Amino acid sequence: MNHDDDEVLSAHGTQHVLDSESVKTVERSDLPIEGMTCASCAARIEKRLSKQPGVASANVNFATKVATVQYDPAATGLSQLAQAVEDLGYKAIVPAPVSARREPANPPHGDAGHDHSAMLAGQGSMSHAGHAMSGGEDHSAHMNVGVAETRRLLTKMIVGAVLALPVLIIAMSHGKIAAFNVPWINWLQLALTTPVLFWCGWQFFRSAWKGLRHFSANMDTLVAMGTGAAYLYPLAATIWPGFFAGVSATATAGTMAGMTMVPVYYEAAAVIIVLILLGKYFEARATGQTSAAIKKLIGMQAKTARVVRGGTEQDVPIESVVAGDTVVVRPGEKIPVDGRVESGASAVDESMLTGESVPVEKKAGDSVFGATMNTTGALRFQATKVGHDTALQQIVRLVQEAQGGKAPIARLADRISGVFVPIVIAIAVVTFVVWWFVSPADARLSMSLVTAVSVLIIACPCALGLATPTAIMVGTGRGAERGILIKGGEALETAHKLSVIVLDKTGTITEGKPALTDVVPAAGSGVSEPELLRLAASAEKNSEHPLAAAIVRGAVDRGLLLAEPVAFRAVVGHGVEATIDGKAVLIGKAALLAQRGVAVSLEGKAAELAALGRTPMFVSVDGNEAGLVAVADQVRAESKAAIAHMRAMGLRVVMMTGDNQRTADAVAAQVGVDQVFAEVLPKDKAEKVKALQAEGHVVGMVGDGINDAPALAQADVGLAVGTGTDVAIESSDITLLRGDLRTVPEAISLSRATMRTIKQNLFWAFLYNVIGIPIAAGVLYPFTGWLLSPIIASGAMAFSSVSVVLNSLRLRSARQ
């Protein structure tokens, strides 16, 4: 992962590139593209956009039919970019401007607390000079284009099939059905075939012509040339049958009106168009399913919200909610926007955000997120993030950007697609010429034409263009459903190569906050375990130390009633003393008790607990040893299983922490890591990662704190635990929203499954063309007498594209 320190991504998708002379603003926008039919189309558009003034980068995704452009608005605009696309013969849809957002009457002060929406700031929202849309609106526009295209393909395919079927039946009769042996039968076939070609298949001819005007070729060029040739030959034979009767020995003299009947091949042109449209229709249907995860997320958004205005509750459209509104949600209702709970308590199902099925308890002060489901109680909260700023829309946007990106493995397919069509045309021309000279004189035209048309039709590079983006779309969508947000194709590809996983200890392997672990009364003290804990917690009640807070929480959780401490005093670096219910209580290190003349008998137990990574504190009551309590940053329940899973996957697991070696070793032994880096200063964490990389490892870093950010940036793949800080998440490549370490191997397994699917797709696409083109050219004819029918070739072409998409869709049910 390469991070340029000079590039900063703002919270609204605008990149500020700093140099010594000026500050340039690079904006990002998505342009849905209509008319793309193959990877060559995408390559042409991408090349043209990249050459436009002010364009920093352009990426055209054939699967999503979207061009993602980063550009300098001072040098160019979306309308100019759209015009550049239209000059190539395609249509670019410029996003509509977003209306000015209303300011809240009483804007909230302060942040809503630490929440997923804040974590995703800078990764998802759009505000591109007034032309951007929210993630949901933007993606809906893309989907609407796809739905309209799918319907159009279905209509043309049905009409074409109705017209082509009689032509196919006539051709299959081979003149053996008397009803078809009439002088005007060829004219009937011509009448049925012409609308199939020039209405149903008009898009191929129009695109081919526009490409020709710009000296370029694409899949439509192949289809237009193939079907055009298959149409022009029978057209000429129908108009001038006498001439072709001398060329074809199979021509028979008709007895009706002395007319000469010449075999024609209208069925090839008509059926090819129908089969290609059928393939395109299934391809569009299947490709649409690759974005099912985003559609599902968008569909979860509430349509209305119940807000308090003028002292009364009223239902308003979700678009009308502004930050600062007071929102009321009843049991069983969806939470409409992000906010902070003011009153009420409930359990909220956040599975659509995190993938975690267990509802999360919410009370005053907690954050809630739009589109999650309120289950048990009523909540009243203040809206803090609305519209495209909500966590849901941030996630949609982040996943959409990842799906629009390209993995490095896709570059090979892009390079091949750029030169593929001209090569195929050259092969078709050579095939025609060769067969013209080697075929018998009476069949040379038909054999040359059939083989050349078959080469043109079978060689469509659609499968090649769909191989990578469809798998990335399904893989990143599957990840989003599981609470794993992958920022792009590069991170997805690199993750499958990881050989070492570095885990930050505090907050990643452990809970990140100390908790009470042990309460041990001293033998003969006469103090029970609950009483010992009550006295210790009461003494620590007014202390601000994290260890004291852990003791107090432990006592409260056990239902103990604490007394108010009297004469409380903190002994800096040693402990505290206070009077509880008239008893002098001292709690702290053994040295503190020794200073006060208290004999200690539990030093052995304290050493045993310390060896387990816990912090023991001795307690005395009225000058006598009462026992000890211990606290520790407890290991997460899932950490041991998650680390075992990573090791089973062949990964070397390293724990890195700033804690002392003894504590680090105790935690490491408990969870089973391979290596420990202890007492590492925050500034040195990145150096440890760099050292592992120098050994030849591909390193993944998992962390959640500000001091993890440099290491996350240095790692080949940075994975930020979603309960962590904004800085850590912005520095990472993958965000794990659940805060569950088990999602680390899950993310890596997803990467491996996706890359395996991409390689399968590319293998099939390459193999299909390597085998299909020679067969279509007739290399098997000398040995078997087989010539591939153009109709069979068109069916094979359609099957290749659909099979690649269907293979990618298998990722939706992949088990990690």
Side-chain angles (χ1 to χ4, degrees):
M1 181 176 79
N2 296 321
H3 295 274
D4 190 338
D5 292 334
D6 291 336
E7 296 183 0
V8 181
L9 193 62
S10 79
H12 295 288
T14 301
Q15 199 172 45
H16 301 285
V17 183
L18 308 179
D19 56 33
S20 58
E21 299 178 359
S22 63
V23 178
K24 296 180 180 179
T25 300
V26 178
E27 296 185 354
R28 179 192 183 281
S29 189
D30 291 342
L31 298 174
I33 306 293
E34 290 184 353
M36 284 199 300
T37 54
C38 69
S40 296
C41 301
R44 288 172 58 203
I45 297 172
E46 187 173 293
K47 186 176 180 181
R48 173 61 66 91
L49 287 173
S50 298
K51 291 183 176 180
Q52 298 304 302
V55 172
S57 68
N59 173 37
V60 179
N61 190 316
F62 173 53
T64 60
K65 304 295 190 292
V66 173
T68 302
V69 188
Q70 291 189 349
Y71 64 99
D72 179 2
T76 188
L78 292 180
S79 57
Q80 289 91 330
L81 297 176
Q83 186 58 50
V85 173
E86 292 182 12
D87 288 342
L88 288 177
Y90 307 93
K91 182 179 180 182
I93 300 175
V94 178
V98 176
S99 57
R101 299 190 182 277
R102 291 171 292 170
E103 293 295 328
N106 297 296
H109 295 282
D111 189 70
H114 190 76
D115 58 40
H116 292 299
S117 186
M119 295 172 197
L120 297 168
Q123 300 174 19
S125 55
M126 295 178 65
S127 180
H128 309 298
H131 288 286
M133 296 176 289
S134 72
E137 294 167 335
D138 195 19
H139 197 79
S140 295
H142 304 169
M143 290 189 290
N144 290 338
V145 171
V147 170
E149 180 67 17
T150 302
R151 290 174 178 170
R152 187 158 52 244
L153 287 169
L154 178 62
T155 300
K156 290 191 173 186
M157 186 266 294
I158 292 174
V159 172
V162 170
L163 295 174
L165 184 60
V167 179
L168 182 62
I169 293 174
I170 293 170
M172 292 177 65
S173 71
H174 300 292
K176 296 177 181 178
I177 300 178
F180 295 154
N181 293 326
V182 291
W184 42 266
I185 195 66
N186 286 357
W187 290 98
L188 175 62
Q189 294 182 73
L190 172 62
L192 293 171
T193 302
T194 299
V196 175
L197 245 70
F198 299 111
W199 184 75
C200 301
W202 176 244
Q203 64 196 68
F204 304 120
F205 292 93
R206 180 183 58 194
S207 177
W209 169 245
K210 288 183 177 180
L212 183 62
R213 287 170 52 198
H214 293 89
F215 304 101
S216 62
N218 57 18
M219 174 264 183
D220 292 335
T221 307
L222 302 181
V223 174
M225 290 180 66
T227 56
Y231 176 80
L232 290 175
Y233 168 69
L235 173 65
T238 301
I239 298 174
W240 300 291
F243 172 78
F244 287 91
V247 176
S248 176
T250 58
T252 57
T255 57
M256 298 183 181
M259 293 190 66
T260 302
M261 300 294 292
V262 179
V264 290
Y265 303 98
Y266 286 116
E267 79 283 356
V271 176
I272 285 171
I273 291 292
V274 173
L275 286 176
I276 291 175
L277 288 173
L278 179 63
K280 288 291 179 186
Y281 170 71
F282 283 128
E283 178 187 305
R285 282 279 306 274
T287 303
Q289 295 177 41
T290 60
S291 58
I294 288 184
K295 295 176 186 177
K296 182 179 178 181
L297 286 174
I298 294 174
M300 289 180 175
Q301 181 69 59
K303 301 297 187 293
T304 62
R306 186 176 297 107
V307 300
V308 179
R309 290 177 180 168
T312 61
E313 296 181 7
Q314 51 185 287
D315 291 338
V316 300
I318 189 71
E319 297 82 7
S320 300
V321 181
V322 297
D325 273 341
T326 297
V327 183
V328 177
V329 182
R330 293 169 183 160
E333 295 180 341
K334 284 184 179 178
I335 294 172
V337 296
D338 294 3
R340 181 176 53 198
V341 177
E342 293 180 334
S343 62
S346 182
V348 177
D349 180 357
E350 296 182 345
S351 59
M352 49 73 61
L353 279 180
T354 66
E356 180 58 61
S357 59
V358 178
V360 180
E361 296 294 330
K362 299 291 182 181
K363 59 184 183 304
D366 290 341
S367 296
V368 291
F369 309 101
T372 57
M373 180 65 72
N374 182 36
T375 59
T376 56
L379 293 174
R380 185 185 184 98
F381 68 91
Q382 182 185 69
T384 56
K385 289 182 170 60
V386 299
H388 69 281
D389 293 327
T390 64
L392 174 68
Q393 294 293 354
Q394 297 279 0
I395 290 172
V396 168
R397 184 65 191 164
L398 185 62
V399 176
Q400 185 180 343
E401 288 178 2
Q403 293 183 343
K406 286 186 178 178
I409 196 173
R411 293 167 190 160
L412 174 62
D414 287 346
R415 286 196 295 270
I416 293 175
S417 298
V419 298
F420 188 81
V421 173
I423 291 175
V424 170
I425 293 174
I427 293 174
V429 171
V430 171
T431 299
F432 184 92
V433 172
V434 169
W435 278 101
W436 180 269
F437 287 106
V438 302
S439 300
D442 60 345
R444 63 173 44 155
L445 180 59
S446 60
M447 294 185 73
S448 299
L449 187 63
V450 166
T451 52
V453 170
S454 294
V455 168
L456 291 171
I457 296 301
I458 204 170
C460 170
C462 293
L464 203 59
L466 291 168
T468 301
T470 53
I472 289 177
M473 288 173 68
V474 179
T476 52
R478 173 66 174 166
E481 292 176 342
R482 300 290 300 150
I484 302 169
L485 301 184
I486 303 168
K487 290 187 181 178
E490 185 173 355
L492 186 65
E493 178 172 341
T494 306
H496 93 285
K497 304 175 184 176
L498 293 177
S499 58
V500 171
I501 291 292
V502 179
L503 303 174
D504 176 59
K505 181 184 78 70
T506 305
T508 302
I509 294 178
T510 65
E511 296 287 353
K513 61 181 181 181
L516 180 70
T517 56
D518 300 271
V519 180
V520 183
S525 66
V527 180
S528 66
E529 182 177 318
E531 179 64 7
L532 174 64
L533 178 57
R534 187 187 75 84
L535 291 171
S538 297
E540 295 279 18
K541 187 175 179 181
N542 292 338
S543 174
E544 296 179 354
H545 197 283
L547 299 182
I551 295 172
V552 173
R553 279 197 306 272
V556 172
D557 289 344
R558 298 186 188 193
L560 300 178
L561 296 176
L562 305 186
E564 194 65 33
V566 178
F568 171 84
R569 187 172 76 90
V571 182
V572 179
H574 291 280
V576 300
E577 57 183 338
T579 300
I580 308 297
D581 296 336
K583 299 176 181 178
V585 177
L586 189 65
I587 176 170
K589 296 180 179 179
L592 177 62
L593 273 67
Q595 288 175 6
R596 303 298 174 87
V598 178
V600 175
S601 65
L602 293 174
E603 287 182 322
K605 180 64 176 179
E608 179 185 326
L609 294 174
L612 295 174
R614 301 170 189 175
T615 302
M617 287 169 282
F618 293 87
V619 182
S620 72
V621 179
D622 290 334
N624 298 308
E625 182 186 26
L628 63 79
V629 293
V631 300
D633 182 7
Q634 290 187 302
V635 171
R636 292 177 182 268
E638 71 276 1
S639 292
K640 185 174 182 179
I643 290 170
H645 190 178
M646 291 182 227
R647 296 183 67 190
M649 294 169 66
L651 296 165
R652 176 179 163 192
V653 183
V654 176
M655 186 182 80
M656 184 158 57
T657 178
D659 282 348
N660 62 68
Q661 190 71 51
R662 186 173 65 177
T663 301
D665 288 341
V667 174
Q670 188 174 348
V671 298
V673 298
D674 296 298
Q675 185 177 359
V676 177
F677 293 146
E679 301 176 22
V680 180
L681 297 175
K683 64 184 181 65
D684 296 329
K685 287 189 174 184
E687 291 301 319
K688 290 292 185 182
V689 171
K690 191 180 296 184
L692 289 169
Q693 292 170 324
E695 295 176 11
H697 292 293
V698 181
V699 181
M701 172 69 194
V702 185
D704 75 329
I706 291 176
N707 58 16
D708 298 325
L712 288 167
Q714 176 61 43
D716 296 283
V717 177
L719 300 97
V721 177
T723 53
T725 66
D726 301 352
V727 174
I729 291 169
E730 289 174 6
S731 302
S732 68
D733 301 293
I734 299 174
T735 300
L736 309 173
L737 289 180
R738 291 213 301 271
D740 186 335
L741 203 56
R742 287 173 295 188
T743 54
V744 174
E746 191 174 338
I748 296 170
S749 295
L750 179 62
S751 169
R752 291 179 177 180
T754 303
M755 291 307 301
R756 186 164 56 247
T757 300
I758 289 175
K759 290 175 181 178
Q760 291 169 351
N761 289 347
L762 288 173
F763 173 78
W764 165 249
F766 282 123
L767 184 67
Y768 163 78
N769 283 297
V770 167
I771 295 177
I773 291 176
I775 293 177
V779 295
L780 296 181
Y781 183 79
F783 311 103
T784 63
W786 297 345
L787 278 182
L788 188 65
S789 164
I791 295 177
I792 302 295
S794 61
M797 182 270 288
F799 173 75
S800 69
S801 298
V802 175
S803 64
V804 162
V805 179
L806 292 178
N807 189 46
S808 295
L809 287 173
R810 292 192 306 115
L811 283 169
R812 291 171 60 183
S813 57
R815 298 184 63 183
Q816 278 74 53

